[in-house]
Amino acid sequence: CAAFALGDGGQLVIAADGHHGALGSEAATHALLTEFGARFTAATPPTTNADAWRELAFEALLRANRAVLEVAGKNALPPAPTTLVLALMRPDQDLLLHASLGDSHLFAIDAFGATELGGRDPAWKFTPFLGYEEARRELLERYSRVGVRSLAGLRAVALATEQGFPQWASIATSVRGGALAMQGQREEGRAQVHRGNAVFRAIGAAL
């Protein structure tokens, strides 16, 4: 499930990967768009401070978690948990503000390759989801990835669910290989380009 919000001050992009159906991901995305979309993308920024953004991000994630539980209760169904990633681009403030929970991914792509800003930390022993009563603030602080960085030098910002990750990972590997080759590291660069292209072909992807 993916959604976008455009405003005078920026763009908000959300991707959510629901499990056991799309009900949870749709509820989480709808809650974020309706309750935070206009505020986040207004001409006046919601914040330019990393600590304040962290508070806003947790507020948004907690609201998305409640939305999953609410729609499950309304339909008398078990909650359909979801992972989620959001990126807020504010060009006038030169800011990319982001937040994620679970194994949905966010890539900041520049001339040298792609940097993962979201996604699941390999050190975690499980994949966290929105849509559980236990998903309180302290758990979000532990298992979410929230941050702020400059937009300067970025060529693209890409969001992907876990199912779309191999394609983006292969592109990132090839782009990084090309950058290394241009910097004089030809052998390593060539190897990464070949590796990325091989994965890209293996999964049947096409540009």
Side-chain angles (χ1 to χ4, degrees), residues 134-154:
E134 295 82 4
R136 297 180 294 273
R137 168 65 185 256
E138 57 269 25
L139 288 179
L140 290 183
E141 289 184 356
R142 183 175 180 183
Y143 291 111
S144 62
R145 299 179 70 174
V146 178
V148 178
R149 63 156 289 168
S150 170
L151 286 170
L154 293 187

Side-chain angles (χ1 to χ4, degrees), residues 13 27 42 62 99 112 126 138 145 196:
V13 187
L62 285 167
F112 302 102
F126 68 98
E138 57 269 25
R145 299 179 70 174

Side-chain angles (χ1 to χ4, degrees), residues 3-5 10-15 32 40-41 53 84-90 95-100 105-108 117 147 151 156-159:
F4 308 86
Q11 305 86 40
L12 174 66
V13 187
I14 305 167
L32 292 179
F40 282 0
T41 62
W53 168 246
L84 186 139
V85 57
L86 66 87
L88 173 60
M89 283 76 64
R90 303 277 319 185
L95 288 177
L96 167 60
L97 306 102
H98 59 90
S100 65
H105 301 273
L106 171 64
F107 298 98
L117 301 179
L151 286 170
V157 174
L159 284 69

